Amino acid sequence: HGFHLFAHITTGSPPHTMSPTHSSPTTSTRKSNPLDRFLQNLFFHVGYTASKIPALVLLFCFIFTILASTGLYFIYFETNPQKLWVPESDQTVIQKKEFESHFGGFFRIEQFVITDIDPKQDNVLSPKLIGIIQDIQDEIRDITVTYKNSHGQLLKYTWYDFCFRPIPKKGCMLQSLTEYYQNNGTRIEHLPDLRHIWDCIAGTKSLSEECRSSIGVPMYDKTVLGKTKILYDTEQIQAKAAFTTYLLNNEPETNIGAKLWELEYVQILKRAQQKYKDEYRISFSAERSVEDALSSDMTRDVPIIFASYLFMFLYVAASLGQLHPIRSRIFLGFAGIVIVIQSVLISGGLCSFIGVNATLIISEVIPFLILAIGVDNMFIMANALDNTDEKLPVPERVGLMLSQVGTSMMLASLSEFLAFLLGSLTKMPAVQAFCVFAAVAILVNFLLQITAFAALLSIDARRVNDHRLELEPWIKLPALRGKGLSISDLVRTGMERFYAPLITIPWVAIGIVVFFVLLTALSLVAVFVKGLKMGLDQVNALPKDNYLIDYFQDQRAFLDLGPPVYFVTRGNKDIAQEENQQAFLDLFNKITRTEYIDQQSAASWMNDFHQWITNPECQNLNKQWYDPGHLPAEHFTHWLSEFVNADCCVLAPTICGFRYKGDIKFNKNHTDIEATRIMAQTTTLTTQDDFIRSMTAAYFTTDHWENVTQPHLDSFPYSVYYVYFAQYMYLPSVAALNGIIASAAVALVTLLLMASPSSSIFVMLAIFMIDIDILGVMALAGIYVNALSVVNLIMGIGISVEFTVHIAKAFLQASGTHKQRVHYALVTMGTSVFSGITITKFLGVTVLHFAYSSIFEIYYFRMYLCIVVFGALHGLVFLPALLYLVGPMEKKKRTSISNVPSRI
């Protein structure tokens, strides 16, 4: 009987399955194209079979979930930012590895900043301040940590075991005001005034031995003072901030001890904050601080994330059915959520099994995405089943339901699947992983819904037919007349009686289209005029009350220097040759003129080496004097080895050979140079754009120098932040490519399955406008373009499909006038889209506003809210109005169905 009944659908004859409660505008179902008929037949069979043997179907889905989830044993969460955002083939990664192979890893940096408690004060310098700094340093120096290594040995560590020692046997390097006094507590304790500071920075003693650090290195005031003013008339130094910096060696064998030491360092600075809070503001950072903050941030935001999903779960459970003793669907709603969870578990298991690394973004975004798609499909299926004839056997009702909505669900899911699958072709690892996990989860979710959820619907329908309570199915009630109230019924009534008639008034529809076009135009203006900034502000990545926020703010406000930058020259050219020496000197000159490079901080061993050779006061060897630009190649390497082991020249104290010992990598026999580097520091880098531009400028210097210099020396710049900002060199192209690929996939699938070029174009237009409007909000709200926002934009395309495709498909399935067809689409699919995905996501997103982390509030709450709001507006307002005005005409061959119920 069921297959005979389905024959009416496939042949276009009127089915007798609908039992309208009242009439609606005359509508008709267009004659399906061959692909439509095939898919309707296929989905009828799937639904009919799932309903006939629901227990077996659910058992199979459960077993498959268990088997696939075993792949989670191999799951690996990639947390290394470098491996998340930058591919191994990127030049910054290759150059970082090359740099570390020659010169070792970059330091672990610990720094604290002291400013006046009153921000209006122009000067924080005083003998008292220097004494306070000395007291804090004494406490830090006394830190001792112990831990057992892998061999069970108890190891003790102090600062002296980790510290950077640029000069062998001369102690640790410390950048601090106290180093102007060689860190001598006695001198500092009896400090009458700051005259010595003036003499060392601006006076006659700046190059003298008494103004050098405790290890004999010349001091540079910008490393220890911020926003300095030199008052020559009164011979005073003023500064708004004092910086103290510890450099620790970043060695794998001592890093465990260093991290324990940093914990004690942080506690000391927290106590100092409280002790001096009435006079000074103290902010600080340790190398481990960001990692600790992100870890605690995730832990603190777990309840917020849980509450977000709980709100969505409760809404789905409460609204999927009716307020009725029998027709409620609380259990079915929770079972539908379990299917969403199954989809995520299966995706995670399968992807982990094939070696795709997971990320925290995946764990945060994928459930949200799949829940959006899954909830939409659950409401569509449940509402469609409610509108079948309850007198028919349950398997036939489920088969008819799936034949009616299955094609539309497949259209959306396949579009999203291909969009994410093709998006995995990008070269950014985190985006690649997200797209693979999302594509698999979407496909699995669709398959589980047309099988497992269809089976659950059939079980629930049989329960309703038997008049059994949902939560107490052993209790059977007498037949109750009428149906209970439901959110879907309220939405459907509103759609039918008020909204659909309103939106199909010609002047209203025209006004809607004009408004949305203007909105998109304004968004484009915002994007091009105000611009989209790239980066991920560190402050936004932290909990709102974390101590690092004060540190980053002070660093930006007061620090006059940025991170160190090294210009590395490979040894594949003999630098001892006269022409190569000159080329190297030319490079140094270009470095000092590079944008964002602090000229005074740049130091070249080649320049000082030439002066050391030609200055008789600097060396006691019997060397012939040479012109500074023409050192003999045959003596070059030997003399250079002597230079890097020499102390500072007595009469030329700025020429210190030992300070360059780590900048030259000799071969084992010291007969050749494998690599060299020139060290400089950037000027203050305040914004994310400053970091990106400084990196671009450094690469321009080396690339331009190589192109214009003869002979060509092989050089590249390196700084610790390059590998994290490298993504922004190609992120715009990655975002554009992913957007184009995803859009093309959606366009192709909609064109094939809807068989209507104009409808496919309208859907793509709506999706395009949604993303443009989101970009406009990002520009106006100052939301940065980074990997998080790019992932959200790609996800936005997927969710936008849910808002638009079902409406367009329903419009094509209906016949009659454009007004009647839009009415049909809104009453059938619009009800499910609004009561399903729109309200569910809105409730879930709203809770994220209360997250502790700014990154959640900005990139999840604000962007998700934009996706939901713009998706709903374009899917339920713009697209219906556009279809009403210029939607495709019907095909001539069709069979009419009068009085199609409003409850379809």
Side-chain angles (χ1 to χ4, degrees), residues 710-764:
Q710 293 292 337
H712 298 309
L713 295 182
D714 191 4
S715 298
F716 64 88
Y718 168 76
S719 186
V720 67
Y721 67 91
Y722 281 9
V723 74
Y724 304 108
F725 283 85
Q727 57 181 298
Y728 302 112
M729 307 289 279
Y730 51 78
L731 187 62
S733 61
V734 168
L737 179 62
N738 273 274
I740 292 171
I741 289 174
S743 300
V746 174
L748 178 63
V749 174
T750 54
L751 180 61
L752 290 175
L753 294 185
M754 291 198 298
S756 172
S758 58
S759 295
S760 180
I761 290 172
F762 292 155
V763 168
M764 291 311 305

Side-chain angles (χ1 to χ4, degrees), residues 299-372:
T299 304
R300 294 176 66 186
D301 278 330
V302 165
I304 301 295
I305 299 170
F306 177 78
S308 174
Y309 286 111
L310 181 62
F311 268 59
M312 292 187 281
F313 294 170
L314 292 176
Y315 170 77
V316 171
S319 59
L320 197 61
Q322 302 171 9
L323 293 175
H324 190 275
I326 294 174
R327 296 182 181 274
S328 64
R329 284 177 172 152
I330 297 174
F331 174 77
L332 187 64
F334 278 110
I337 299 302
V338 170
I339 289 177
V340 171
I341 296 172
Q342 283 182 275
S343 305
V344 175
L345 291 175
I346 292 171
S347 172
L350 294 177
C351 293
S352 300
F353 184 76
I354 63 175
V356 181
N357 289 343
T359 68
L360 290 177
I361 290 180
I362 288 173
S363 65
E364 292 156 1
V365 179
I366 294 292
F368 189 92
L369 172 67
I370 304 306
L371 188 60

Side-chain angles (χ1 to χ4, degrees), residues 541-812:
L542 299 170
K544 297 174 184 177
D545 57 355
N546 190 268
Y547 65 83
L548 281 175
I549 293 178
D550 289 340
Y551 169 75
F552 287 133
Q553 289 173 346
D554 288 347
Q555 194 180 47
R556 294 172 184 176
F558 304 118
L559 190 61
D560 291 322
L561 286 177
V565 179
Y566 296 94
F567 293 83
V568 179
T569 299
R570 299 181 177 97
N572 48 14
K573 291 288 183 72
D574 185 4
I575 204 168
Q577 297 301 316
E578 182 178 312
E579 63 272 17
N580 292 337
Q581 292 181 45
Q582 187 58 50
F584 195 86
L585 293 170
D586 291 342
L587 171 62
F588 177 71
N589 291 332
K590 292 184 182 296
I591 290 171
T592 58
R593 297 195 298 269
T594 299
E595 187 181 10
Y596 290 100
I597 291 294
D598 180 81
Q599 186 173 358
Q600 290 180 277
S601 69
S604 167
W605 61 266
M606 180 73 80
N607 295 60
D608 282 7
F609 177 45
H610 280 215
Q611 293 184 48
W612 183 78
I613 288 291
T614 57
N615 190 331
E617 300 295 335
C618 290
Q619 40 84 22
N620 300 316
L621 302 173
N622 186 23
K623 299 183 178 66
Q624 182 180 352
W625 287 21
Y626 292 94
D627 179 68
H630 301 86
L631 298 185
E634 62 270 19
H635 297 301
F636 187 89
T637 304
H638 175 65
W639 288 355
L640 183 60
S641 296
E642 296 177 2
F643 168 67
V644 295
N645 288 289
D647 288 330
C648 298
C649 299
V650 177
L651 298 181
T654 59
I655 304 175
C656 303
F658 60 77
R659 66 189 291 195
Y660 299 111
K661 190 176 184 67
D663 294 335
I664 303 167
K665 178 70 174 179
F666 293 98
N667 63 2
K668 292 182 179 179
N669 300 322
H670 274 239
T671 57
D672 200 4
I673 298 172
E674 294 182 354
T676 71
R677 67 183 183 186
I678 296 173
M679 185 267 196
Q681 282 187 266
T682 66
T683 53
T684 306
L685 304 179
T686 305
T687 66
Q688 298 290 288
D689 194 51
D690 288 339
F691 281 93
I692 297 168
R693 288 178 178 273
S694 67
M695 179 174 64
T696 304
Y699 272 106
F700 178 81
T701 293
T702 55
D703 295 345
H704 178 70
W705 174 67
E706 287 180 359
N707 291 333
V708 300
T709 305
Q710 293 292 337
H712 298 309
L713 295 182
D714 191 4
S715 298
F716 64 88
Y718 168 76
S719 186
V720 67
Y721 67 91
Y722 281 9
V723 74
Y724 304 108
F725 283 85
Q727 57 181 298
Y728 302 112
M729 307 289 279
Y730 51 78
L731 187 62
S733 61
V734 168
L737 179 62
N738 273 274
I740 292 171
I741 289 174
S743 300
V746 174
L748 178 63
V749 174
T750 54
L751 180 61
L752 290 175
L753 294 185
M754 291 198 298
S756 172
S758 58
S759 295
S760 180
I761 290 172
F762 292 155
V763 168
M764 291 311 305
L765 176 63
I767 293 173
F768 171 77
M769 292 171 71
I770 291 169
D771 262 12
I772 293 298
D773 291 344
I774 294 172
L775 289 173
V777 171
M778 289 176 62
L780 293 174
I783 299 176
Y784 287 84
V785 176
N786 50 48
L788 288 176
S789 54
V790 168
V791 166
N792 286 340
L793 288 170
I794 297 171
M795 184 190 70
I797 294 176
I799 292 183
S800 298
V801 171
E802 293 292 324
F803 282 109
T804 54
V805 163
H806 298 302
I807 301 293
K809 182 66 175 175
F811 178 83
L812 288 175

Side-chain angles (χ1 to χ4, degrees), residues 144-158 161-162 253 256-257 260:
T144 301
V145 294
T146 59
Y147 79 97
K148 287 185 178 180
N149 63 11
S150 56
H151 302 293
Q153 297 173 308
L154 188 64
L155 303 177
K156 288 187 177 182
Y157 285 105
T158 66
D161 297 303
F162 311 122
E253 59 270 18
I256 295 178
L260 293 174

